[in-house]
Amino acid sequence: MNFVFISPNFPYTYYRFCERLKNNGINVMGIGDCPYEELLGELKNSLTEYYKVNSLENYGEVYNAVKFFTEKYGKIDWLESNNEYWLEQDSKLRYDFQITSGIQFNDIKNWKQKSLMKKIYEGAKIKTARQYEVSTFENAKTVLNSETQYPVIIKPDIGVGSNNTWKIENENELKEFFNKKSDIKYVMEDFIEGEIYSYDAIINSKSIPIFESMTNWGKSIADIVNKGFDLSYYVDKSIDEKLKESGRKTVKAFNVKSRFVHLEFFKLTKPHKNVGNTGDFAALEVNMRPAGGYTADMMNFAHATDVYKIWADMILKDETDIKCKEDKFCIYASRKDEHNYVFSHEEILQKYGEKIVMMERMPELMHETMGCFMYTACFDTKEEAFEFRDYVIKKTF
């Protein structure tokens, strides 16, 4: 089996996807813009060959790389990046090289365009916030007077993560948004008071999950970016049955096959007349790739498992014999350079050193969302995990 992995070096832990594929006897080739000599040794050892392009944004260059591999190794069976930014380009490469595994180019819009996602949710009777297409201040004001009320969320119809997402609380903020908005299509949604959870799963070709997990993200990434908050979130040792039901229903509605998915939901902390009651889960959006950052590694710690191997097993044989268990709460707490914190790095290590499983300065590209420096630790109880979080992010003011 020939597998082409796009950008296998970012984030750096993605070498584990390639490593597990190779261990399963799969021929793995990489395409990226990182010089070969700068790749991790583990990644180099996992790849049969690596093709460097000047820019992954240049479709012609990436196309030529896949063509080179096809001519040298034969037909490509799989092509993936496991990265939301490259999903559309992945699908176009599959189309051009007749790779039948993975999402196809004609279907990708349902996974990238929020207005189309909303129609699929509604068609499957999955609870979700109501959405309105708005193009002008007057149009949005009319909707607010007749259909909904402040606060509302406005975001790009097509976008990665929470970039350019706004919470609008009054008419002045609405006017300000339209005065400076970029020239792209936006949608407006009812604001839901709740915590963000994700259903993270590895799905086989029959749309059946062979691994499932739950992550509590707390604050929205939009607030992390726009208000400068510190990111802290945790992978739960277990999964709420209501979330599992909603996640599986969403997988079926979107006809997901042979993918690692990250499906986002609100868990309502206050009833909403258009959505549901306190404790209900309401769909936010689908992300047809693993959760960001090092969340896959956190799943491994929380469930004493190997999600990279489970994914590679799905690729090879559509199933896995790896068992998971309810083991630990794995929590991530980050800091930003612009804040002053009560406790020093040395004090954190002295108090929690034996519990910390990962810590590092994050790549600059991730500073706004994932923080500048992160600590990840495992605990038996949620209370211990929250004490650790509060210790790490406690500020001097």
Side-chain angles (χ1 to χ4, degrees):
M1 181 186 291
N2 290 323
F3 193 109
V4 172
F5 205 111
I6 306 293
S7 190
N9 59 296
F10 186 82
Y12 79 87
T13 52
Y14 272 25
Y15 81 84
R16 295 189 177 114
F17 285 121
C18 299
E19 186 177 69
R20 304 313 191 263
L21 289 171
K22 181 184 178 182
N23 292 343
N24 274 0
I26 295 172
N27 185 37
V28 189
M29 294 148 280
I31 301 173
D33 54 13
C34 178
Y36 180 77
E37 57 272 16
E38 295 180 16
L39 299 179
L40 286 176
E42 295 91 339
L43 178 55
K44 292 178 182 177
N45 293 335
S46 301
L47 299 176
T48 301
E49 191 165 353
Y50 178 74
Y51 191 113
K52 181 189 176 301
V53 295
N54 292 317
S55 171
L56 286 169
E57 301 274 2
N58 187 321
Y59 185 79
E61 281 194 90
V62 182
Y63 177 94
N64 287 337
V66 180
K67 182 180 178 183
F68 171 80
F69 287 143
T70 301
E71 291 172 350
K72 186 170 182 178
Y73 297 101
K75 181 169 173 53
I76 305 303
D77 301 292
W78 286 82
L79 184 146
E80 288 288 354
S81 65
N82 278 343
N83 187 314
E84 185 174 348
Y85 191 81
W86 304 116
L87 283 181
E88 189 167 356
Q89 180 169 277
D90 291 350
S91 69
K92 190 171 190 319
L93 288 165
R94 292 190 198 103
Y95 177 83
D96 286 343
F97 288 92
Q98 299 181 341
I99 302 168
T100 56
S101 59
I103 183 65
Q104 299 300 301
F105 185 65
N106 291 334
D107 300 322
I108 194 70
K109 60 183 182 295
N110 292 331
W111 293 7
K112 296 284 289 181
Q113 195 168 334
K114 295 178 177 65
S115 56
L116 294 180
M117 287 183 201
K118 196 68 65 172
K119 291 177 181 177
I120 293 174
Y121 286 137
E122 292 169 351
K125 293 183 170 48
I126 297 168
K127 291 180 179 179
T128 185
R130 292 193 305 179
Q131 187 182 90
Y132 318 90
E133 292 189 15
V134 292
S135 55
T136 65
F137 169 75
E138 290 75 17
N139 173 222
K141 190 175 176 182
T142 298
V143 171
L144 279 157
N145 288 335
S146 59
E147 300 287 337
T148 187
Q149 60 188 15
Y150 295 108
V152 290
I153 297 293
I154 299 183
K155 54 190 175 182
D157 193 22
I158 299 176
V160 176
S162 295
N163 292 333
N164 228 356
T165 296
W166 302 85
K167 180 183 177 183
I168 306 296
E169 304 205 43
N170 53 56
E171 186 170 315
N172 286 337
E173 290 183 0
L174 185 69
K175 188 175 295 183
E176 181 184 0
F177 166 78
F178 278 100
N179 284 339
K180 63 182 181 182
K181 80 176 185 71
S182 54
D183 190 24
I184 58 175
K185 180 182 177 183
Y186 285 86
V187 292
M188 185 167 72
E189 294 184 355
D190 292 333
F191 175 76
I192 296 175
E193 291 194 36
E195 289 190 303
I196 298 176
Y197 284 76
S198 64
Y199 170 83
D200 299 285
I202 297 172
I203 309 298
N204 70 11
S205 66
K206 303 176 183 65
S207 298
I208 297 171
I210 61 174
F211 167 79
E212 296 171 292
S213 181
M214 178 176 78
T215 302
N216 179 304
W217 295 88
K219 294 183 176 70
S220 73
I221 297 298
D223 282 343
I224 300 293
V225 172
N226 296 332
K227 299 181 180 179
F229 292 151
D230 293 317
L231 174 64
S232 177
Y233 68 98
Y234 67 91
V235 175
D236 204 303
K237 64 167 64 176
S238 60
I239 181 168
D240 187 297
E241 287 299 320
K242 286 185 178 179
L243 179 64
K244 184 185 292 186
E245 179 184 354
S246 296
R248 291 180 175 183
K249 194 173 181 181
T250 301
V251 165
K252 295 288 187 182
F254 282 83
N255 195 30
V256 180
K257 299 179 186 298
S258 304
R259 295 204 69 81
F260 204 142
V261 299
H262 171 65
L263 311 181
E264 297 179 357
F265 294 83
F266 283 112
K267 186 175 185 180
L268 275 66
T269 54
K270 183 179 178 180
H272 192 293
K273 65 177 183 178
N274 296 330
V275 183
N277 299 314
T278 301
D280 287 347
F281 285 95
L284 176 54
E285 65 182 55
V286 299
N287 298 284
M288 299 303 181
R289 42 77 181 172
Y294 304 135
T295 313
D297 303 274
M298 293 171 63
M299 294 174 197
N300 284 344
F301 291 119
H303 302 297
T305 191
D306 185 345
V307 297
Y308 300 101
K309 177 68 164 68
I310 295 171
W311 177 83
D313 286 349
M314 178 273 293
I315 296 294
L316 179 67
K317 57 186 180 181
D318 212 32
E319 60 183 5
T320 188
D321 56 6
I322 295 180
K323 305 299 181 185
C324 302
K325 64 179 182 179
E326 297 179 2
D327 193 43
K328 303 283 185 183
F329 290 90
C330 188
I331 189 163
Y332 176 107
S334 68
R335 294 176 158 193
K336 291 186 173 179
D337 293 344
E338 60 264 33
H339 300 315
N340 294 313
Y341 298 90
V342 172
F343 301 106
S344 68
H345 173 71
E346 290 71 24
E347 288 173 310
I348 293 171
L349 295 186
Q350 184 176 8
K351 185 175 178 65
Y352 289 106
E354 64 179 16
K355 299 292 186 180
I356 293 173
V357 293
M358 293 189 293
M359 65 177 179
E360 68 177 62
R361 186 159 182 88
M362 298 297 285
E364 189 172 347
L365 183 66
M366 296 182 174
H367 283 186
E368 273 197 332
T369 54
M370 303 295 292
C372 301
F373 196 94
M374 73 84 165
Y375 302 87
T376 301
C378 291
F379 298 92
D380 292 324
T381 68
K382 191 183 299 184
E383 290 71 26
E384 292 174 300
F386 287 174
E387 286 175 8
F388 164 78
R389 173 202 63 194
D390 294 343
Y391 191 88
V392 170
I393 67 175
K394 186 174 183 180
K395 298 178 182 61
T396 56
F397 56 88

